[in-house]
Amino acid sequence: GCGMGLISMLAARAAAKHVVAVDTSAIVDCARVVAEQNQLKNITFIRGKIQEVAAELPFKKFDVVLSEWMGAFLTNEEDYANIIYCRENLLAENGVMCPDQSSIHVVGISDYPYRRDNVDYWDNVYGFKMEPMKALVLEEAGACAIPRTCIATNTNLAYTLDIKTASLDKREYSFPFTLKADRKTTLHFL
């Protein structure tokens, strides 16, 4: 979704003929007010799921579809299904998807403080042994800034997804990879 509408408002201010911003959250109502306060007249905000509000859109086809569709591991987010819908139903002939591809890389990370604070923490939480929580934490994909000093291996390109050819029925991928450590250390995460 458009979230707080910043990218939508930047596009409107950059002379887009008209911008349509869609989000399921109430934040879209705030974004509408912000756009009005900034005298942006070439933007329409709509609250709802794109598939459900398509009939309300002021245009049937769009020259540009801008979406932050990339989720953890690229394809496991609802936004992925939304962007495929937009490509198939709303993108004009010769229209542009932005971004139109994204890649995932694998690196080895050595970060004991992060492990201590987010994984080992569950060994004793106010006197309670909560070790079963560790498995859940380790299975959940997370996004965070990784200091360069914590990257302890080479970077390996794992997969590139091209949204122009992507499909909902081909969301899984696997890949072989080899990492080479650049120092003697313990790897905590990939």
Side-chain angles (χ1 to χ4, degrees), residues 53 97 132:
V53 299
M97 307 288 292

Side-chain angles (χ1 to χ4, degrees), residues 19-36:
V19 175
V20 178
V22 179
D23 200 297
T24 59
S25 168
I27 198 167
V28 78
D29 300 323
C30 294
R32 182 181 299 111
V33 171
V34 171
E36 289 169 2

Side-chain angles (χ1 to χ4, degrees), residues 2 5 8-9 12 17-23 28 31-32 35-36 40-47 56-59 62:
C2 67
S8 302
M9 289 184 282
K17 185 175 180 181
H18 196 89
V19 175
V20 178
V22 179
D23 200 297
V28 78
R32 182 181 299 111
E36 289 169 2
L40 294 172
K41 308 277 188 226
N42 59 334
I43 189 166
T44 301
F45 289 93
I46 298 174
R47 184 173 178 187
E56 299 173 37
L57 299 175
F59 308 99
F62 295 84

Side-chain angles (χ1 to χ4, degrees), residues 2-17:
C2 67
M4 66 179 179
L6 181 60
I7 293 174
S8 302
M9 289 184 282
L10 287 169
R13 188 169 67 187
K17 185 175 180 181

Side-chain angles (χ1 to χ4, degrees), residues 42-93:
N42 59 334
I43 189 166
T44 301
F45 289 93
I46 298 174
R47 184 173 178 187
K49 293 180 83 166
I50 189 66
Q51 294 91 330
E52 296 169 2
V53 299
E56 299 173 37
L57 299 175
F59 308 99
K60 298 293 178 208
K61 297 289 182 176
F62 295 84
D63 296 325
V64 178
V65 173
L66 177 62
S67 174
E68 187 182 342
W69 54 265
M70 304 77 61
F73 300 108
L74 300 180
T75 63
N76 66 348
E77 297 285 332
E78 184 177 347
D79 289 338
Y80 178 74
N82 293 341
I83 198 67
I84 300 295
Y85 175 85
C86 289
R87 182 194 70 201
E88 296 297 316
N89 298 283
L90 303 174
L91 189 64
E93 188 175 336

